[in-house]
Amino acid sequence: MAAAAMAHEKLWQEKSTMNAAEKTYYEYMAKINSVPSQCTLASEISKARQHIKNSLERMDGIAALAASPGAELLDRLSSVEKENEKLRSIIDGLNNLVIDLHERVRSLESGSGKPAAAGKPAAAPKTAAPAKKVEAEDDDDDVDLFGSEDEDEDKAAAELREKRLAEYAAKKSKKPALIAKSNVILDIKPWDDETDMKVMEQEVRKINADGLLLGAAKLVPLAYGIHKLQMSCVIEDDKISVDWLQEEIEKIEDYVQSVDIAAFNKI
């Protein structure tokens, strides 16, 4: 019993030593438990490095493929070059055609008529033989030194010129002179919706003058059941003025309130 009591007494006496041993034990266990997490972090870092390395290798492969074009790209380039050659030949043909047409237009504008065919020289214009000069050389012996024949020729030429001028003036006077005309569209407005538009149109068409031609008319709605009469007419500018025509229509005071010009075009 005494030995047992002493054993218990020794145990309590070394409690501080046991606490230190227990602390050491738990610290050791903590270190052991932290080792796997460190190993896991190292493995993740190695995996990331490997992934980066693989990515770089793939990028190098893509760059190599881009640097060396494939067969499909070469085929496309060859087809584009062929089409380019065709387009160049077509453009050259069109350019030559335009140059040819330009030369023809220039020759026609210069008054030379149709251009001469290639390879054939243009024929020299035929000149009439100077008959008067030959006759003058044959009649050298009958020359009047005082110039009486020259005066007669001058008079004949002057008479011929006057005759031709008179014929040209007569021919020009027979041509009809160009008459300036205008197409006018009028908006004729009534007083109210009770105005008889048919009667108003009849009254307007009673206006008659030399150089005035009234055309078609139609009713165009304005507002609140009121319509306006839109009428077209042709006037000769030298004989009829638009202001005069407006005044004549506005004289129909029982039906017409006002007259406006909707359109005015020269013919």
Side-chain angles (χ1 to χ4, degrees), residues 102-113:
H102 183 66
E103 293 296 332
R104 292 185 181 181
V105 170
R106 286 182 60 187
S107 63
L108 290 174
E109 289 179 352
S110 63
S112 60

Side-chain angles (χ1 to χ4, degrees), residues 21-241:
E22 185 178 1
K23 182 179 179 181
T24 304
Y25 172 75
Y26 282 116
E27 288 178 356
Y28 175 74
M29 292 300 295
K31 288 182 181 179
I32 293 174
N33 292 331
S34 64
V35 171
S37 61
Q38 292 177 358
C39 295
T40 304
L41 180 61
S43 62
E44 291 296 330
I45 293 172
S46 63
K47 287 181 181 179
R49 289 179 178 176
Q50 187 65 30
H51 182 69
I52 293 170
K53 184 178 180 182
N54 295 334
S55 300
L56 291 175
E57 290 178 354
R58 290 178 183 177
M59 291 298 295
D60 293 338
I62 293 171
L65 290 175
S68 59
E72 184 179 359
L73 183 59
L74 292 175
D75 293 338
R76 289 184 180 180
L77 288 175
S78 62
S79 62
V80 169
E81 289 179 355
K82 290 180 181 179
E83 291 179 0
N84 192 12
E85 291 295 332
K86 290 181 180 179
L87 290 175
R88 284 182 180 177
S89 61
I90 293 172
I91 291 171
D92 292 338
L94 291 174
N95 190 17
N96 295 331
L97 181 61
V98 170
I99 293 172
D100 189 14
L101 291 175
H102 183 66
E103 293 296 332
R104 292 185 181 181
V105 170
R106 286 182 60 187
S107 63
L108 290 174
E109 289 179 352
S110 63
S112 60
K114 297 180 179 180
K120 293 183 180 180
K126 295 182 180 180
T127 57
K132 291 184 179 180
K133 187 175 181 180
V134 174
E135 292 177 359
E137 290 177 357
D138 294 337
D139 298 337
D140 285 341
D141 297 336
D142 298 332
V143 173
D144 187 2
L145 298 177
F146 296 98
S148 59
E149 292 184 358
D150 293 339
E151 292 178 358
D152 293 338
E153 290 180 359
D154 293 339
K155 289 180 180 179
E159 291 176 357
L160 180 61
R161 184 172 63 254
E162 294 294 333
K163 182 179 179 181
R164 289 182 177 176
L165 288 174
E167 291 177 354
Y168 175 74
K171 185 177 180 182
K172 188 176 181 181
S173 63
K174 292 180 181 179
K175 291 184 178 180
L178 183 62
I179 300 174
K181 296 182 179 181
S182 300
N183 184 16
V184 184
I185 298 177
L186 301 173
D187 285 344
I188 306 171
K189 298 177 182 179
W191 289 104
D192 51 24
D193 58 343
E194 296 180 358
T195 303
D196 193 344
M197 303 302 292
K198 292 183 179 180
V199 177
M200 185 175 72
E201 182 179 354
Q202 292 174 2
E203 293 295 327
V204 172
R205 290 189 181 277
K206 290 181 181 179
I207 300 173
N208 189 11
D210 185 18
L212 173 63
L213 178 62
L214 298 176
K218 64 179 180 179
L219 295 177
V220 179
L222 285 175
Y224 305 105
I226 301 174
H227 292 74
K228 66 180 178 180
L229 180 66
Q230 192 172 80
M231 179 178 290
S232 63
C233 60
V234 178
I235 61 174
E236 294 183 13
D237 297 340
D238 295 336
K239 297 179 181 180
I240 303 294
S241 68

